[in-house]
């Protein structure tokens, strides 16, 4: 498996991008943004995620972060994506969402090819991670 664009070390900070399946605009609703913020706060408090900056776009999330001592960033991101997937689907089902039917259908179709038993696929596989190497890089990403 390729390690390009993966968080493979525990010492460095990374600029992470996590994208929804099909680049669907999920985060246009405040309730969905709150799902992400609450999950990030949980990961900070209990899973060793150190966040320097983040930005929630309509179809993806950027996070400038690292795993603290004893916590592996790839494990944190795996758990974050698994938990938020369930919360996003739950919010689509339970709240008044005008796009409910086609969004759920899309997320169901997105996992049809998977071998594991899964009803919905909210996130694209993996994540895009770039090691933070310079102050210029940090300024560029934060801006």
């Amino acid at each position: 498996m390729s390690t390009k664009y993966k968080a493979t070390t525990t010492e460095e900070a990374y600029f992470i991008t996590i994208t929804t399946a099909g680049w669907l605009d999920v985060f246009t609703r405040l309730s969905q943004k709150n799902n992400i913020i609450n999950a990030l706060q949980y990961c900070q408090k209990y899973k060793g995620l150190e966040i320097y900056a983040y930005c929630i776009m309509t179809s993806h999330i950027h996070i400038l972060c690292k795993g603290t001592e004893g916590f592996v960033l790839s494990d944190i991101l795996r758990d974050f994506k698994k938990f938020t997937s369930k919360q996003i689907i739950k919010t689509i089902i339970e709240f008044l969402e005008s796009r409910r039917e086609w969004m759920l259908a899309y997320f169901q179709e997105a996992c049809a090819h998977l071998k594991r038993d899964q009803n919905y696929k909210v996130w694209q596989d993996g994540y895009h991670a770039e090691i933070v190497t310079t102050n210029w890089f940090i300024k560029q990403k934060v801006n």
Side-chain angles (χ1 to χ4, degrees):
M1 177 188 284
S2 171
T3 57
K4 187 176 182 180
Y5 301 121
K6 301 282 186 216
T8 57
T9 69
T10 56
E11 296 81 33
E12 285 91 14
Y14 287 86
F15 180 73
I16 305 288
T17 302
I18 306 171
T19 307
T20 59
W23 288 80
L24 290 189
D25 290 329
V26 174
F27 309 114
T28 57
R29 306 288 195 257
L30 183 59
S31 58
Q32 295 292 16
K33 292 175 192 172
N34 286 334
N35 284 335
I36 298 302
I37 293 168
N38 292 337
L40 288 173
Q41 289 172 336
Y42 180 88
C43 289
Q44 282 180 294
K45 190 171 182 178
Y46 298 106
K47 294 200 168 277
L49 181 63
E50 194 168 287
I51 300 174
Y52 307 111
Y54 71 91
C55 181
I56 302 172
M57 307 299 284
T58 59
S59 61
H60 58 286
I61 303 162
H62 297 295
I63 313 168
L64 189 59
C65 62
K66 71 176 282 197
T68 57
E69 189 72 30
F71 293 94
V72 179
L73 186 56
S74 59
D75 293 345
I76 297 168
L77 294 173
R78 177 200 62 220
D79 294 347
F80 172 82
K81 288 173 63 176
K82 183 176 181 178
F83 176 78
T84 55
S85 291
K86 293 174 184 175
Q87 290 303 111
I88 288 166
I89 294 300
K90 180 180 177 187
T91 302
I92 290 171
I93 292 170
E94 292 181 358
F95 288 86
L96 293 175
E97 171 59 74
S98 60
R99 308 168 299 164
R100 176 183 303 148
E101 290 180 23
W102 72 261
M103 287 179 86
L104 291 175
Y106 187 90
F107 290 142
Q108 282 179 324
E109 181 62 31
C111 70
H113 70 283
L114 299 176
K115 292 179 182 174
R116 62 185 178 268
D117 186 28
Q118 187 173 332
N119 295 323
Y120 301 100
K121 181 174 176 56
V122 173
W123 299 108
Q124 290 182 13
D125 289 338
Y127 52 88
H128 184 97
E130 297 177 72
I131 294 178
V132 174
T133 55
T134 64
N135 287 336
W136 176 87
F137 182 84
I138 294 169
K139 284 181 183 181
Q140 177 199 36
K141 298 306 182 185
V142 170
N143 285 336

